[in-house]
Amino acid sequence: MKRILILLLCAGSFASCGTKRIILPRAVNTIDMAPLEALNLARGDYEILNTITADASIIFQERRDGGMKIADANNEFSMIVFNRKFGVVYECDGILKLGYLQSDYFGDNSDLLQPEVVARRLAIYRAINLAKEYGADALVEPTIATNVEQVGKKQILYKTTVTAKIIKLKTDR
C-alpha cells in the first residue's frame, strides 16, 4: 500500500513539473490623489512643490505560439503570457513595477494582461517615485494620457504620460 501511495505521489509531482507557473515578480507603490477643491485646505495649509511628469512605454507583441509578450521599452521587465488548458502561464524577466492612485489598488492581477494597463501602472509608479524624491505628500489633479501606435508588423507601442502637481502638507502649526 505504501509503495502505491509513493508511486502516485511521484507521478503527481512529475505531472506538475510540466506546468510552468512562475510568480509574477512585482513592486507596488501607492499615493494619495485628490483635486485641490476636495482637500478642503486653506492655501497656507500646503505648499505646491512642483509639477512632475513621468512616462512609460510598453511594447505588445503577439507570438507565433499563441502567446503574447508585454515588455517595457527600457528592458526593465518582460512577461510572456500563454493561455493553456490548465490556465494562464507567465514567463517573466525583471520586476513589474506598478503604481496606484489613492484607493484603486485591489491586488487583482487580471488586468495586467492588458498592455495599456501595464503602461498606466508603470507610469504612475514612476510618478510616485518622483513625488517621493521631492518629499511630497500627494499628487494633485493628475493627468494620465495613453497613446498607441503600430511600430512593427506585429508590435504595438503603448506610451503613457502622467503629469501632476505635487504638494506637501504644512505641519508646523
Side-chain angles (χ1 to χ4, degrees), residues 71-156:
D72 175 39
N74 296 336
N75 294 318
E76 290 180 16
F77 82 92
S78 67
M79 66 179 164
I80 299 172
V81 183
F82 301 95
N83 246 336
R84 300 289 187 237
K85 292 186 267 188
F86 48 82
V88 176
V89 178
Y90 297 94
E91 289 182 9
C92 308
D93 185 29
I95 297 173
L96 177 57
K97 298 172 182 169
L98 307 171
Y100 293 86
L101 299 174
Q102 203 167 13
S103 60
D104 64 349
Y105 176 64
F106 303 109
D108 182 19
N109 284 337
S110 61
D111 61 351
L112 293 181
L113 298 179
Q114 301 298 322
E116 64 271 17
V117 172
V118 174
R120 177 184 174 92
R121 296 288 171 220
L122 181 56
I124 292 171
Y125 179 91
R126 291 175 177 166
I128 291 169
N129 283 344
L130 277 173
K132 285 180 183 178
E133 287 178 19
Y134 282 97
D137 293 315
L139 296 178
V140 179
E141 300 177 357
T143 301
I144 303 171
T146 301
N147 294 317
V148 181
E149 67 181 83
Q150 189 91 28
V151 293
K153 197 171 188 180
K154 294 191 177 202
Q155 291 184 336
I156 300 172

